[in-house]
Amino acid sequence: MDVTEGYLVAGVAGADTVETVWMPEGDEGEHGDGSEQDESKSRNRATICVSSQVGCAVNCQFCLTARLGLQRNLTAGEIAGQVIAVLDRHAVEVGRNRVNLVFMGMGEPFLNYDNFMAAVRLLVEEAGLSPQRMTVSTSGIVPGIERFAKEPKEIRPKLAISLNAPNDAVRSEVMPVNRKWPIKAVMDAVSGVKLRPRERVTFEYVLLGGVTDRPEQAREVARLVRRPGLPAKVNLIAWNPGPGIEYAMPSAEAVESFRQRLMGEGIAAYLRKPRGRDIYAACGQLKRTVESSALIESGSTPDQHRS
Ligand code: SF4
């Protein structure tokens, strides 16, 4: 089924919902770890984008979810339950079909740390999923990264940092959380994570037209992520327009030029296809969009939108 699907998944109380996204061809965020060898088998590259909170308190300026504010933390069962519900719907056999999980949906996982890691334990120990096929993305919550660095590698997912700016001045504008934990503090904490062989830290970088997509900024980004002993890659995401958010999309030329400049600096850089754009399910766009999603309940059918 070659379509991106967005779901609203009801919380235990049924009064609030979070969004979960199934991307049958992956989000191209995992290149470099071997999953691209399975490109002919779409299910083998499928990715599920999982939420960790209802809304979010972090207030990234380009993000629709931020508009909700934080409503509540999800429980471990609610976080893991999103995955189980989507695996069930697609009849995925864990162990035979390779599925990636990205904790990049609604919310900041490291501000709901205990429930997030308890969900990971459930998914690894009870559902049999591999932590090496899971990636958690944080906006740079330093105490959370420091705790994460102490997790045993048997259950620790891979780490992605939502960087999104070339320096502290721009990042503090785009992501106010940077005023509390600036880039150097984040990078120092990241350096404390003991990576597995061939594992890399991912830096997510949303390109905002005229704000973070300028050619000279690519060199700054390269300087930030190039650290001795820290294998890294950069995932570029062309910003997805959202109602009421005053940023501009970058041009296709600016996106490609940015990627080329990073590569020229020796940084592995990939462009993530925003497969969910047309259902507002791409990065930073998860917010209740009831009209275009459906509640996972027995008998209900999710809307499907070609991506
Ligand atoms: S991008 Fe992520 S951390 Fe930032 S406000 Fe949106 S959901 Fe929260």
Side-chain angles (χ1 to χ4, degrees):
M1 197 180 293
D2 187 18
V3 290
T4 297
E5 293 180 351
Y7 308 97
L8 290 183
V9 181
V12 282
D16 48 25
T17 54
V18 293
E19 286 173 320
T20 310
V21 182
W22 163 264
M23 293 170 278
E25 291 182 38
D27 65 355
E28 302 205 348
E30 299 301 309
H31 273 237
D33 68 358
S35 60
E36 65 273 28
Q37 290 164 6
D38 296 319
E39 284 183 12
S40 59
K41 302 170 187 167
S42 63
R43 176 175 295 172
N44 282 354
R45 305 180 58 229
T47 296
I48 302 172
C49 181
V50 186
S51 294
S52 56
Q53 297 179 306
V54 182
C56 186
V58 175
N59 199 24
C60 302
Q61 297 295 293
F62 53 82
C63 172
L64 272 179
T65 300
R67 302 295 172 96
L68 293 173
L70 176 63
Q71 300 191 10
R72 71 174 180 89
N73 284 332
L74 294 181
T75 65
E78 288 169 334
I79 297 170
Q82 295 166 62
V83 178
I84 302 303
V86 175
L87 293 179
D88 275 358
R89 173 174 157 71
H90 290 277
V92 173
E93 288 176 43
V94 173
R96 198 168 79 82
N97 303 123
R98 198 178 273 180
V99 176
N100 298 313
L101 303 187
V102 291
F103 295 93
M104 299 182 183
M106 271 188 171
E108 164 55 76
F110 284 2
L111 290 180
N112 185 18
Y113 191 90
D114 290 334
N115 287 324
F116 160 67
M117 277 309 300
V120 168
R121 272 186 192 281
L122 280 172
L123 291 166
V124 172
E125 294 170 358
E126 306 297 330
L129 293 161
S130 166
Q132 298 192 56
R133 298 224 149 258
M134 302 178 189
T135 302
V136 59
S137 176
T138 178
S139 58
I141 308 297
V142 166
I145 301 170
E146 289 170 346
R147 284 185 73 183
F148 188 73
K150 294 184 186 132
E151 299 290 353
K153 66 177 186 317
E154 293 74 27
I155 59 153
R156 180 180 59 71
K158 295 188 291 183
L159 180 64
I161 301 294
S162 197
L163 180 63
N164 304 328
N167 55 52
D168 280 321
V170 176
R171 195 167 192 265
S172 292
E173 289 298 316
V174 173
M175 300 177 72
V177 69
N178 192 72
R179 294 176 199 143
K180 186 160 186 181
W181 291 297
I183 294 170
K184 181 176 185 314
V186 173
M187 294 302 294
D188 287 349
V190 170
S191 296
V193 178
K194 289 194 179 50
L195 302 178
R196 305 171 182 95
R198 301 210 318 275
E199 183 179 349
R200 293 187 284 185
V201 172
T202 300
F203 291 90
E204 306 280 345
Y205 192 96
V206 174
L207 291 154
L208 303 168
V211 178
T212 62
D213 69 341
R214 296 210 292 272
E216 67 276 15
Q217 292 174 325
R219 180 170 291 179
E220 286 185 88
V221 171
R223 265 194 242 117
L224 287 180
V225 305
R226 192 190 297 118
R227 284 209 157 194
L230 183 70
K233 62 174 175 170
V234 175
N235 278 349
L236 298 171
I237 304 135
W239 180 68
N240 299 299
I245 300 186
E246 303 278 309
Y247 286 117
M249 280 181 78
S251 68
E253 296 72 33
V255 171
E256 184 52 25
S257 157
F258 204 93
R259 193 178 77 85
Q260 292 293 344
R261 281 172 186 264
L262 281 175
M263 302 279 278
E265 294 280 338
I267 305 295
Y270 305 93
L271 179 60
R272 264 186 24 191
K273 278 188 197 164
R275 291 184 183 281
R277 176 179 290 171
D278 55 352
I279 56 168
Y280 289 103
C283 177
Q285 296 214 328
L286 293 184
K287 184 183 172 185
R288 286 181 223 183
T289 48
V290 183
E291 313 77 36
S292 62
S293 302
L295 202 62
I296 290 184
E297 281 179 338
S298 53
S300 68
T301 307
D303 270 355
Q304 295 170 359
H305 300 251
R306 292 215 170 265
S307 56

